[in-house]
Amino acid sequence: MGEYGLKVTIDEDSGFCFGVVYAIDMAEEILAEDGYLYCLGDIVHNDEEVERLKAKGLRIIEHDVLKTLHNEKVLIRAHGEAPETYRTALENNITLIDASCPVVLKLQNRIKVSHDARENILIFGKHGHAEVIGLQGQTNKEALVFQDIAELDNVDLPQQITLYSQTTKSMAKFYSVKDTLIAKGYEVKANDTICRQVSNRDKELPKFVTRFNKIVFVSGKKSSNGKVLFEVCRGHNPDTYFVSSTDELHPEMFSPDDTIGICGATSTPMWLMQQVKNRLESY
């Protein structure tokens, strides 16, 4: 115990969602057997966890490198992939280790069915996000992606719209987008495909963060879900700090006898939250 005597508690419900656990377990099994494994894009939006797996032999590649590989194994992470990735793999005799999250796969399928039925698809999601690229790929890149309702102001939208959402978006924002479109006179068929494991954290976190006088939210900077959950924490406890590693913690952020809650994104490993706890307790 450091001289500050900080009382630190980790949120039991924080940490990897099942999609990420599944992908990482699969990667670790193959790494233990083969000594190396290619992964298309960062396996998880957390640099510390990516570095841990790279040290075990994970090789992160992008799509341009995939096209040059032959007769190899390549992992598809939880975010899922567009159809052309599967075509490339077939052509190059690549064995795909498919760890796409079942929630994402179900959504991909629903979007494909809507597209085949010639519906006008809007996807509420982050531009360039891995999951969103996979979703848009189901529509031959014809679906319109927007991450902010203002982007639609000068767009000539059809009268009938089918609305989908990236699985890690905030439910409140999704429903406010739907209501705004309906208020503007559009006919909206809204498909709430937000992952309940993520949206339930929106509900659970407020109860957790109000028990402490300070919160340390641990997440990678690239995590969409991290941004959403950080805002939830800050909304219920203004004394919330966002950190990606223990290097970003400093004693002057805290006062003696503070009670501190640690929580994180669905892409934050438990070992990293434990490191943060150890650092705080050493002050």
Side-chain angles (χ1 to χ4, degrees):
M1 205 42 143
E3 57 196 65
Y4 271 25
L6 303 177
K7 293 172 200 63
V8 188
T9 309
I10 296 178
D11 173 23
E12 290 300 318
D13 296 321
S14 278
F16 290 154
C17 60
F18 69 85
V20 171
V21 170
Y22 179 62
I24 287 173
D25 281 355
M26 226 181 237
E28 289 193 305
E29 268 176 44
I30 294 167
L31 289 170
E33 248 169 70
D34 297 356
Y36 77 97
L37 172 65
Y38 290 102
C39 176
L40 198 47
D42 281 346
I43 189 164
V44 61
H45 286 149
N46 186 282
D47 293 342
E48 282 68 25
E49 180 66 1
V50 169
E51 287 309 316
R52 184 184 75 82
L53 290 163
K54 274 187 181 169
K56 292 187 171 200
L58 193 71
R59 301 174 183 176
I60 307 281
I61 57 165
E62 296 306 329
H63 291 81
D64 51 347
V65 175
L66 182 74
K67 296 188 177 86
T68 67
L69 288 184
H70 291 80
N71 318 316
E72 289 284 1
K73 283 182 190 168
V74 176
L75 181 86
I76 288 180
R77 59 203 170 154
H79 302 95
E81 279 295 323
E84 64 197 76
T85 298
Y86 293 86
R87 283 199 290 274
T88 302
L90 269 175
E91 285 162 16
N92 292 8
N93 193 33
I94 291 168
T95 305
L96 289 178
I97 313 295
D98 197 342
S100 301
C101 167
V103 178
V104 175
L105 286 177
K106 185 178 168 190
L107 170 56
Q108 285 188 353
N109 188 50
R110 286 177 68 178
I111 287 181
K112 186 180 185 312
V113 169
S114 289
H115 177 68
D116 291 346
R118 301 199 180 286
E119 293 175 13
N120 304 305
I121 299 169
L122 287 187
I123 299 172
F124 175 49
K126 183 179 170 186
H127 292 294
H129 187 281
E131 181 193 322
V132 173
I133 291 167
L135 298 176
Q136 206 190 14
Q138 309 305 315
T139 71
N140 212 4
K141 299 188 181 154
E142 288 166 28
L144 179 65
V145 173
F146 67 102
Q147 59 190 32
D148 192 292
I149 189 84
E151 291 173 42
L152 302 177
D153 285 351
N154 303 316
V155 178
D156 192 13
L157 293 175
Q159 183 54 35
Q160 292 174 318
I161 295 166
T162 300
L163 178 67
Y164 285 99
S165 165
Q166 179 182 341
T167 59
T168 51
K169 279 285 179 204
S170 138
M171 272 178 83
K173 284 210 177 107
F174 175 75
Y175 282 103
S176 107
V177 163
K178 175 193 166 183
D179 294 342
T180 305
L181 289 170
I182 289 171
K184 288 185 172 181
Y186 295 104
E187 278 173 59
V188 181
K189 185 163 130 191
N191 297 276
D192 171 3
T193 50
I194 290 163
C195 172
R196 289 306 179 259
Q197 206 180 356
V198 172
S199 64
N200 285 345
R201 289 198 189 171
D202 290 17
K203 296 189 195 81
E204 297 304 320
L205 271 178
K207 294 178 206 159
F208 177 78
V209 301
T210 46
R211 286 167 40 201
F212 306 92
N213 56 328
K214 288 197 178 118
I215 294 295
V216 175
F217 185 83
V218 188
S219 169
K221 305 232 180 342
K222 291 185 238 176
S223 167
S224 295
N225 161 257
K227 291 188 184 77
V228 170
L229 294 180
F230 171 64
E231 290 305 336
V232 171
C233 290
R234 204 166 55 170
H236 291 85
N237 187 333
D239 283 324
T240 297
Y241 295 105
F242 187 109
V243 304
S244 296
S245 74
T246 51
D247 301 345
E248 294 169 24
L249 294 166
H250 306 288
E252 53 273 20
M253 292 156 72
F254 308 98
S255 311
D257 299 324
D258 265 346
T259 60
I260 301 169
I262 297 175
C263 42
T266 52
S267 51
T268 304
M270 192 50 83
W271 62 261
L272 186 57
M273 287 186 276
Q274 192 60 53
Q275 272 188 1
V276 168
K277 181 177 195 275
N278 296 348
R279 175 66 61 90
L280 293 175
E281 286 176 343
S282 73
Y283 292 158

